[in-house]
């Protein structure tokens, strides 16, 4: 968002082209695609805290024509990712900037990831046209909003493919690239090599399974014990996972021996992906062979990462972290375009599926109070663990 | 050692040149350097266990002339390093080979590091002459012995320098290269950058202080609280250490802030060296800036290395291990020669001092029983923590 408190926002009579695509939708209304007039709305907060307490919905005026080198975009769909909650709580290292919406009210607009459509292209912008799909490469772009004015360098055009849905597009810049880069940037693996990961049922975990399978890598997928373990195992194997085990299984020494000797041919595993930490990750480390990499991208156990020092000294383990936001900061535009092309190509080949998801649609007929209540309610349910699926926000347009 | 059980060892009338140098010595006898006849003796064991129980001394015959591509060497001085104890206990990943000494008795000869003098050069060996000083690049070479036949590729000629003593030479292949490589192979540091290390009073720690000082790097040296802290601080600063703190000091938040903001100019520290692990190392990690490396080479606390996952993800910490034995395995002969030249050059410039040490001299007049008792006694004292200094073994020659 590039609004500033010096910029008065007024109704300027834009006529955005609304293309409604078929989608899975919670409580969405049937809307005619013709002659509608959008209400601009954003999910905002003014102080850090529990999202179910501090978030509200705020209606704001239409955008003025885009200044030079910028574009006006409308967001089609934006996910609520776990890290977004940490951002709102104020405990995440990346923070959004204050934005002036409506009558000069300074707020933080929620949302880091999202799919938008280019509506109006400012002078000096090349390579982007009205109707193009774009994703954000600038972190904390305030994607939980209807529309935004952005610098052209802060967005990336998404290649179109028949198979590419809005859900794919809205979830394309965080989880699949995290999975892709973790599989490519560290251990040099070849076909039939193994990768072990914990939290294998996470959104990143499911991307890892699919991208690894597309590369011919085998995955050992670790999950918590649970009543529906068979269903989950079937689901992860259907995505391309080679084996699924629970953390409890790792206490079985005979099984460890089988994995090390039979499955990996005595070599052990050279790439581990970690979003859990704590003792289950210490147990996972027993599966490493020499010169392995442990790449951490989360710590769901909220415990530290604790490993025997001997693994580092004698087995040459390297423990690193991966943060897709840093990747975007440290890579060229060309790298980013190549990454998106690669991922969209996997989608086009049917090798990277939409994440399981639900869409929360905010009706244009709701008042800000009602819309804010719906949003806060979602976060209450999410923190109570009632959403196993990814939740995406969609702001409905209105006449 | 390249003896095999098929090789009968006989007295062959070698006439080794014995050059006795002035040295610091525990209980050594005054011996004339002329017309002496060496007794070949080795510190051996046949099963793993507590060194104070399983070690014995074994006299063996003189070596036959060296086969092609090998040399006969006599050891001048060999240290007892902490890892040697783990090797004898059977808990170290590198293991010695069985050697046949004397009347075909198969034993393990202790000792990984040591300084030897070339006595007899076999056909086909180039670049080495009688009288040259050599060090071992093959691990577990059985250096606690009087003499050995070695392949020329398993030793490295040590450049001579006036300042280079036997003690320097005998301790040149493990601790100083560990320090040197840890300072060079990971974080790219420039003059006045900081390095933090724990166990700063260890032999490696003292090498780190000196080599860092020679490069213009600043060191923050962490040690345990102790009654003689002022003396130790003075000693480490005299070696070139910039600051000395205790692990307890790291609980002082104001001090941490001072280190981060004032000492490092807000950047934090980008290289940490760890031989302790456990909670004191977790505390040390608070001093890291972005893109830091934590290089572990020991775990004196016997606790795991436990770090917040966020350090890896958001501050891009890389945690690795360093093992000098692996370095030797994975580097060229030229690399090894360059390393020795660099270290000897530091010695020649007075920038790398002998470690504090004591020499245990085993008299040629002692029976194997008496000599074995003296050796076992040293390990009893070492395990009781009675040696703060490095202990080096010397086998005296006899008429």
């Amino acid at each position: 968002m590039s609004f500033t408190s010096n910029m008065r926002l007024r109704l300027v009579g834009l006529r955005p082209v609304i293309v409604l695509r078929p989608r899975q939708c919670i409580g969405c209304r049937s809307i005619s695609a013709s002659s509608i007039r959008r209400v601009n709305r954003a999910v905002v907060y003014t102080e850090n805290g529990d999202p179910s307490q501090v978030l509200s919905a705020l209606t704001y005026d239409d955008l003025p024509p885009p200044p030079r080198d910028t574009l006006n975009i409308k967001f089609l769909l934006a996910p609520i990712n776990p890290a977004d909650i940490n951002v709102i709580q104020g405990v995440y290292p990346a923070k959004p900037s204050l934005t002036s919406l409506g009558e000069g009210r300074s707020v933080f607009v929620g949302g880091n990831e999202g799919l938008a459509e280019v509506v109006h292209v400012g002078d000096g912008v090349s390579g982007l046209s009205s109707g193009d799909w774009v994703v954000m490469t600038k972190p904390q772009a305030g994607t939980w909003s209807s529309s935004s004015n952005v610098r052209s360098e802060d967005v990336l055009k998404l290649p179109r493919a028949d198979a590419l849905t809005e859900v794919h597009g809205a979830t394309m810049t965080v989880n699949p690239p995290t999975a892709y880069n973790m599989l490519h940037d560290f251990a040099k693996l070849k076909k039939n090599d193994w990768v072990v990961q914990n939290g294998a049922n996470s959104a990143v975990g499911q991307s890892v399974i699919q991208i690894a399978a597309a590369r011919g890598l085998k995955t050992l997928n670790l999950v918590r014990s649970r009543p529906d373990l068979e269903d989950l195992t079937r689901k992860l194997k259907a995505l391309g996972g080679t084996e699924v085990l629970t953390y409890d299984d790792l206490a079985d020494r005979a099984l460890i021996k089988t994995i090390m000797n039979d499955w990996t041919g005595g070599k052990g595993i050279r790439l581990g992906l970690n979003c859990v930490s704590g003792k289950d990750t210490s147990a996972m480390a027993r599966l490493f062979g020499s010169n392995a990499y442990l790449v951490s991208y989360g710590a769901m156990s909220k415990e530290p990462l604790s490993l025997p020092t001997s693994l580092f000294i004698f087995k040459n383990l390297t423990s690193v972290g991966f943060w897709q936001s840093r990747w975007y900061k440290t890579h060229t535009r060309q790298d980013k375009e190549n990454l998106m092309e690669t991922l969209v190509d996997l989608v086009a080949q049917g090798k990277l599926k939409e994440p399981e998801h639900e869409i929360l649609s905010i009706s244009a007929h709701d008042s800000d109070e009602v819309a804010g209540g719906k949003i806060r309610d979602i976060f209450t349910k999410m923190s109570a663990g009632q959403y196993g699926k990814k939740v995406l926000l969609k702001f409905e347009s209105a006449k």
Side-chain angles (χ1 to χ4, degrees), chain A residues 45 48 82-92 94-96 112 140:
Chain A
Y45 57 106
N48 290 123
D84 296 329
I85 294 171
N86 303 130
V87 172
I88 297 163
Q89 289 167 332
V91 297
Y92 199 72
K95 313 218 178 277
N112 173 59
Q140 307 307 328

Side-chain angles (χ1 to χ4, degrees), chain A residues 340-353:
Chain A
M340 286 300 131
E341 265 171 39
T342 302
L343 294 173
V344 169
D345 192 46
L346 285 171
V347 169
Q349 294 176 52
K351 292 180 176 171
L352 188 58
K353 297 181 172 47

